[in-house]
Amino acid sequence: MNTMTFIATGDAFTTRRIPADGYPGLEELREVIGRHDVKFSNLEMTYHHLEGTPAAVSGGAWAMAEPRCLDDMKRYGFNLFTTANNHTGDYGEGGVLATIRHLRERDMVFSGTGANLAEASRPCYLETRKGRIALVSACSTFPIASMAGGQSGEVPGRPGLNPLRGYTPQCCSTAVGSCRNLGGELTVELLGVRPGNGPLDMDALRAFTQQSADIISNFYTGDIDFAAYSTDSNVPLSLGIPANTIGTVLGALAHTREEWVDISSLPKGLGIVLSLMLLYEA
């Protein structure tokens, strides 16, 4: 049996085109990627020309890039993608469907989103010289409006992502069964969850988090967001160490060229940081 090799990246937050001649070091990176049969990436972005409207709640920022950025992902060798993540619904159902259309126009293999829940939970298949790969994608952290909806005889489904919280064992068995029916060897493996908790004492983590929230409340009177995002403290959490990632400025549109910060919030942010340092120094 031929040996099949994989390479995978984390979030591809592509906000602009890569120049035709690249940047220093990118050619070497492309050579590394090209040595493998399966080259996976998470498309942490919507790709369209304002073909959707900004959702009331984003995945942290309203992420959108021109569709030609997808050409750069292909140019650097990636051939398998997931589109289910916390930014999927940033531009509503229109953004979901437009992104899907631009991916299909480029014959890109992806899973995780669809015009309804059946499509979003369906596996995609990558054909390589050494075998066929199936990928089922789901997401565990997202604004609730990003979820795809089921279709019935009376109503159409809702475009969106495949939600892990609604991804029951029966759904998983159905998807896996459809892959097994194609023949060959099948291996199912959980690649990761967010946050990446290891052997954690959850009571200790809750107490640790509440202690952080109490300090933040001394400087900030708004609601504190306790959701798990991409910048969570996954490394210490995976080692069983209680940890929080804490924002220290007010602003919006993170990770985009339109990102902004309220400068007047910096002194309060510094106060939060120093108070936390003094707490653990004591």
Side-chain angles (χ1 to χ4, degrees):
M1 178 182 293
N2 291 329
T3 299
M4 185 181 295
T5 61
F6 293 73
I7 190 169
T9 71
D11 303 341
F13 204 91
T14 51
T15 59
R16 65 185 72 185
R17 296 296 310 276
I18 298 175
D21 54 353
Y23 294 107
L26 285 193
E27 190 59 36
E28 292 83 352
L29 179 61
R30 176 159 56 179
E31 291 176 3
V32 171
I33 296 169
R35 296 172 194 158
H36 300 272
D37 303 298
V38 181
K39 294 152 278 194
F40 169 86
S41 190
N42 170 31
L43 295 176
E44 187 95 355
M45 180 65 62
T46 64
Y47 296 91
H48 53 94
H49 298 290
L50 290 173
E51 295 164 77
T53 55
V57 179
S58 74
W62 284 265
M64 177 182 64
E66 66 166 293
R68 290 187 300 166
C69 288
L70 294 170
D71 299 326
D72 294 329
M73 295 298 293
K74 293 185 66 176
R75 182 157 59 98
Y76 278 84
F78 293 103
N79 59 7
L80 184 63
F81 306 91
T82 179
T83 50
N85 53 67
N86 56 302
H87 288 288
T88 297
D90 282 354
Y91 283 82
E93 296 174 10
V96 171
L97 294 175
T99 298
I100 290 173
R101 185 176 70 254
H102 289 296
L103 285 161
R104 288 176 176 166
E105 287 174 354
R106 290 164 172 79
D107 198 26
M108 296 174 74
V109 180
F110 69 95
S111 65
T113 53
N116 50 55
L117 183 58
E119 285 190 11
S121 59
R122 187 177 298 161
C124 65
Y125 301 95
L126 174 68
E127 302 287 347
T128 77
R129 293 172 59 186
K130 297 179 180 178
R132 177 188 295 124
I133 294 295
L135 175 68
V136 176
S137 301
C139 184
S140 61
T141 305
F142 49 85
I144 193 167
S146 298
M147 293 173 57
Q151 186 169 322
S152 72
E154 290 76 32
V155 295
R158 181 179 60 255
L161 58 79
N162 184 24
L164 184 62
R165 67 184 67 170
Y167 201 63
T168 64
Q170 181 180 359
C171 294
C172 184
S173 297
T174 300
V176 171
S178 69
C179 299
R180 284 205 169 99
N181 291 337
L182 296 173
E185 182 179 344
L186 175 66
T187 301
V188 180
E189 179 181 354
L190 178 64
L191 296 180
V193 295
R194 182 187 294 173
N197 293 346
L200 268 173
D201 181 336
M202 297 308 296
D203 289 334
L205 177 60
R206 280 189 285 270
F208 180 86
T209 302
Q210 186 58 53
Q211 190 169 244
S212 298
D214 290 342
I215 287 180
I216 294 171
S217 297
N218 292 331
F219 299 88
Y220 176 64
T221 57
D223 294 331
I224 298 175
D225 185 355
F226 292 94
Y229 292 111
S230 301
T231 50
D232 257 355
S233 307
N234 281 338
V235 172
L237 289 172
S238 68
L239 298 174
I241 302 171
N244 299 142
T245 297
I246 296 173
T248 56
V249 294
L250 298 178
L253 302 177
H255 309 306
T256 71
R257 282 174 282 182
E258 292 76 30
E259 180 175 1
W260 61 271
V261 169
D262 180 358
I263 301 298
S264 67
S265 69
L266 289 173
K268 291 184 177 180
L270 182 59
I272 292 172
V273 172
L274 292 176
S275 296
L276 288 168
M277 292 173 62
L278 291 171
L279 175 67
Y280 294 106
E281 178 65 24

